[in-house]
Structures are given as C-alpha cells and as structure tokens.
Amino acid sequence: MATENNTLILKAPWVFPTVSPVALWLVALVAAWAVLGQLYADSIRLLLLWVPHLAKGLQMNILTSVLAIGIGTVLGLLVGALELSQARWINTPARWYVQVFRNAPLLVLIFFTTYVFPFEIKIGSIYLPFPDWIKATIGLALPASAHIAEILRGAVQSIPTPQWEASASLAFSRSQTLRWIILPQCVKRVLPPWMNLYAMITMSTTLASLVGVTELLESAKNASNTVNRTDFTILVYLAILTLFFAYCYPITRLTRRLEKKFSFH
Amino acid sequence: MPHTETHHERPTLVQLRDVHLSFGSNKVLKGVDLNVRQGDAVSIIGPSGSGKSTILRCINGLLAPERGEIVVGNTPVHALKTEADRIALRKRIGFVFQQYNLFPHLSVLENIVIAPTRILGTDRQTAEREARELLARVRLSDKADAYPGQLSGGQQQRVAIARALAMHPELVLFDEVTSALDPETVGEVLAVIRELVQDGLTCILVTHEMRFAEEVSHEIVFTEGGEIVEHGTPQTIFHAPRNPRTHGFINALRN
C-alpha cells in the first residue's frame, strides 16, 4: 500500500488522489458542452430540434448491435463447440470458418452481405422483405461469431488439464466433463471478452450507414446536410461521439471491473 | 497389518504383466509386473521419474500401455477400445491426485455428489446422505457448503478422498496425495487413508511417506527407471532388501 501511494505522489503530485481520472473527463465533457452551449446557443437549439431524428438513428444502432451479438453468440458457441470436437472432419471446417471471418475486413463483409442476399425472400406466394439493416446485421454477426468461437475455445483450453483427468477418473465422458465441469468454469473467463466484443460491435454499427442503413451516423449526415452550417456539423458529430461514449464506456468499465474481480479466483 | 492371516487366500484384483509405455523417445515403463490382492494396500516407492504415477494412470485407463496386459477384476484394461468401456472401468476405481483437483466452481458437497447422482444415477437424497457420512468420516462435516478455494490443502485432499469414495470403488489409487501438503496437514490425510486400509479397501499408493508406507502396506513395490526392482513385505523392503538398488534407495532416505 505504501509503495502505491508513493508512486502516485511521484507521478502526479498535483492531482488530488481521491478524484478518479474518469470523473475529471466527465467534468471536462460537461464543461465543454456548457461552453459550447454559451458560444453556439443558436446551433444547440437547432440540434435539439434534430434530437428525435438522431434518437431514431441511435435506436437502429442499438437494435443492430444487440441482434448482431445475439446471432454472433449463438453461432459462435456452435462453431466453438465444433472447433473443440476431437473429430478432424468436424473441427477443421470450424477452424476455417473462424479464420476466414476473423481475417475479413468488417466493411467488406457488410458490403458483401448487402449485395449477396436478395432484397426480398419468396416463401410460397408470400414475399418477405429482406431489408438492408438485417443484411448489415448479418455482416456484423459473422465476424462476431468467429471471435466468440475463439473466445470459447481459448477459455476451454485455459482450464487446467487435471480438471479433465479428475472428471475422467470419476467416469465422466468427454461431453459430460465439458458440460458440467469445464463450461461452468469458462463463464467468468468468457464474460469480459464477450462484453468487450459487444462494445466493439456497437461502434462498428456506424459502418452500416455506408450501405444506406439509417442509423445514427446516417441521421447525423442528413441533419448536417440539411442545416448546412459548419458549426452545426461539428456539433452534431460531437453529439454522436458523446452518445457512443455514453453507451460504450460503462460497458468497457464494467468489463474491467469483472476482469479484476475474476482474476483472484 | 490387519489382514495378515488371510493375506494369501484373497483373490487378485489388479494384475499387470510386462507393461511398457513411452512418452515420445522417453521410455517410462519398461516391463512392469504387479499383483494386488483384494483388500491389500500396496505402496509403490522409488525415486522421482521412475514411472510410479504412470503405473496408476495405466490402471484406470487414463493412459494406454503400448505393450503388456493390465487386468482389473475381470476387465482387460489394455484391450479397452471405447470411451464407454473405460467409463465402466472407472466407475469401479477411485483416483486421488497429488493436486486434489477438486472442481472449484462446486461446493464441497456438490463435488462429492456430482458423480454418484449424474454418473451412477443415485437419487439426490441418498447421494447427499452418503456424502455427509463421508464428510464425517474425513472429519469435515462442517465444510459441506464451503468451496474448495476456502479450504487448506489437507482439507481439500480429504474432500478429494471423500469424492472418490462416493462412487463405492472396489479399488482406490492414491497418487502422491501428501506431496503437495504442508507438513502439519499431512497427518490428517494419512489418518484417513489408514482407516480405509483397516476397513479392507484395496489401495495402491504412490508415496514418499516411507514410515506411513511401512506401517499400513501389505506389500511394498520399489520402482526405479521404469522397472519394478523389488517387491515384498514392508519388513523385507525396509529392513532386509535383497536388491542393492533398493538397499541404496532406503539407505539414502535414512541418512
């Protein structure tokens, strides 16, 4: 404890040690908005008019990210399970799936899924629309599933082999060991990287604007083009950055907390 | 030695014949023969790396020998091909590890009941009652709801013994179960094993606790370099070994 205090004092004697840097950043952010509000009161009023439009855009980002992580998780756990199989003909394709989607640029995948799927699906005589935002979601979900498969495989392999030996000695089969002994111990190892991935996906949802999905970035572009004033444009993008920060930062923070908590067990 | 009078009449439970095993180019077992009678406690002693633990892992099928025969009861372990066959074998054999290897995400009670309920299909009530009896037997009645991480090494090892016994094994393999323990907790674990031997449970122990091995074993097996150098009663091995290598090992320990 003593050394910790010393280094703190050595590093930054001018910082009051009980104030966390996060709080300082938040204060700075609020202050920046306060100053902006004074200087560009007019633009801020304009911005407020656009809030419903931007909120609708943000809704799309949240919807896409939640769906993408959902699909990605289900698919990723499946692929991860296949990757863990001992049969070569099962784990090799799974491994290739992971490699292909982990090494593909996200934007290219989103373009790809947008153009490879039809705009509507015909089931019997019913035509179901297949909107672009769902295609973009799939584009995000595919690499997410590859990452989740890797996270799962890594977690399973990080459980010490004596756990397998002990289970085998108690007459557990391989799949029983995986289900009852290994996977329950993996949950806490998987949770932090999974949340990290979710934050990354959320931020990547803005890429969907490039294939014409009306999400937050696209809404901001609309607003900026309509108003057509430099100070307003800056303000709108600053607002978007603030919104994403407000949504993703707590997730990152919670992830760090969980990582610390679990590292002791 | 509680069973000396009937010692030679009891049937053989474990039999190894000319067992060979290598890890890569490293020959770990070079023709091991071993006979364990029902109800016997047999201690395998010898220098580190002489293949003692490997012998135990071959007996319960965790490792498969390259050559030779291993028979437990009527089961030819060396010929088991499927996972199902090995599972059937392991239901009958308990294994206690040097590092305990309890399941850290389960409470002490759950560690003990998981195998009987899920593998043997024992109903929860019976399994739990037996688990509590076993915990009393290893003197840990008050720790049923604790997690392994909250226990000392000696306590964890006693839970591990209870976990193995919950499967009602006909044979228990102890792999250097006191080697990782603090000196003051070794005694409590050995006391539990001593009682099991006195109750007539067939045990094969790999151990460095010579005094204990001499006290509880019906037979001592001395291994060196992947071979069984000598076996006999504790009296012979510890006090009148015939083989000079055994002699050297015992003497080195004495001094």
Side-chain angles (χ1 to χ4, degrees), chain B residues 69-131:
Chain B
E69 291 180 7
I70 302 170
V71 180
V72 176
N74 295 319
T75 310
V77 180
H78 58 278
L80 298 181
K81 290 281 175 284
T82 65
E83 194 185 29
D85 287 340
R86 276 188 284 271
I87 284 171
L89 171 78
R90 288 171 188 152
K91 284 180 187 169
R92 298 157 42 202
I93 304 179
F95 201 111
V96 185
F97 296 85
Q98 180 179 351
Q99 297 290 347
Y100 344 123
N101 300 348
L102 295 177
F103 304 130
H105 61 299
L106 299 178
S107 70
V108 164
L109 191 71
E110 291 304 319
N111 261 281
I112 300 172
V113 301
I114 187 168
T117 52
R118 304 229 175 172
I119 306 295
L120 300 181
T122 313
D123 67 282
R124 174 83 205 185
Q125 258 189 333
T126 313
E128 210 169 293
R129 182 173 44 76
E130 287 185 359

Side-chain angles (χ1 to χ4, degrees), chain A residues 6 31 37 42 72 105 124 148 163 208 238 261:
Chain A
N6 285 341
D42 180 38
I148 285 164
Q163 290 285 308
L238 193 64
K261 193 180 149 202

Side-chain angles (χ1 to χ4, degrees), chain B:
Chain B
M1 282 184 290
H3 307 288
T4 352
E5 58 289 346
T6 54
H7 184 59
H8 291 284
E9 296 152 21
R10 276 173 279 128
T12 299
L13 182 62
V14 182
Q15 192 168 40
L16 277 75
R17 286 283 162 271
D18 196 33
V19 170
H20 289 255
L21 180 65
S22 30
F23 298 132
S25 60
N26 181 20
K27 291 196 167 91
V28 187
L29 301 181
K30 304 177 203 163
V32 167
D33 296 303
L34 187 70
N35 246 321
V36 179
R37 285 188 202 81
Q38 214 156 51
D40 267 10
V42 173
S43 292
I44 307 177
I45 61 168
S48 300
S50 59
K52 305 185 295 287
S53 298
T54 309
I55 296 174
L56 296 189
R57 281 173 164 72
C58 284
I59 294 172
N60 84 337
L62 282 178
L63 291 171
E66 282 144 13
R67 218 169 83 203
E69 291 180 7
I70 302 170
V71 180
V72 176
N74 295 319
T75 310
V77 180
H78 58 278
L80 298 181
K81 290 281 175 284
T82 65
E83 194 185 29
D85 287 340
R86 276 188 284 271
I87 284 171
L89 171 78
R90 288 171 188 152
K91 284 180 187 169
R92 298 157 42 202
I93 304 179
F95 201 111
V96 185
F97 296 85
Q98 180 179 351
Q99 297 290 347
Y100 344 123
N101 300 348
L102 295 177
F103 304 130
H105 61 299
L106 299 178
S107 70
V108 164
L109 191 71
E110 291 304 319
N111 261 281
I112 300 172
V113 301
I114 187 168
T117 52
R118 304 229 175 172
I119 306 295
L120 300 181
T122 313
D123 67 282
R124 174 83 205 185
Q125 258 189 333
T126 313
E128 210 169 293
R129 182 173 44 76
E130 287 185 359
R132 289 187 193 280
E133 283 166 14
L134 284 167
L135 279 175
R137 203 164 161 193
V138 299
R139 294 167 204 91
L140 285 172
S141 293
D142 54 330
K143 298 291 185 191
D145 298 321
Y147 280 82
Q150 300 166 318
L151 303 181
S152 75
Q155 291 171 331
Q156 288 191 54
Q157 195 58 291
R158 283 182 281 154
V159 174
I161 293 172
R163 181 176 71 173
L165 293 176
M167 294 289 277
H168 301 286
E170 48 188 297
L171 166 71
V172 180
L173 310 173
F174 293 89
D175 187 11
E176 296 192 33
V177 293
T178 57
S179 298
L181 299 179
D182 295 328
E184 61 265 33
T185 61
V186 168
E188 66 199 29
V189 173
L190 294 184
V192 168
I193 300 175
R194 184 182 292 119
E195 284 179 17
L196 297 178
V197 173
Q198 283 164 359
D199 290 349
L201 183 70
T202 315
C203 300
I204 305 179
L205 307 111
V206 166
T207 183
H208 292 292
E209 299 287 335
M210 297 306 156
R211 216 179 291 262
F212 177 72
E214 181 176 350
E215 175 205 327
V216 302
S217 309
H218 299 91
E219 182 162 325
I220 305 285
V221 175
F222 173 65
T223 60
E224 194 185 63
E227 293 167 322
I228 304 263
V229 176
E230 186 173 352
H231 66 97
T233 63
Q235 178 63 25
T236 332
I237 300 293
F238 285 107
H239 301 287
R242 280 180 295 263
N243 192 297
R245 283 152 81 187
T246 318
H247 194 79
F249 180 75
I250 301 291
N251 263 358
L253 286 175
R254 289 259 154 75
N255 304 325

Side-chain angles (χ1 to χ4, degrees), chain A residues 209-241:
Chain A
S209 69
L210 293 170
V211 291
V213 176
T214 317
E215 43 70 72
L216 185 54
L217 186 61
E218 185 70 15
S219 312
K221 248 191 290 182
N222 292 342
S224 149
N225 288 342
T226 312
V227 175
N228 200 14
R229 260 170 49 183
T230 315
D231 59 339
F232 179 78
T233 301
I234 295 172
L235 215 55
V236 163
Y237 285 116
L238 193 64
I240 293 181
L241 285 175

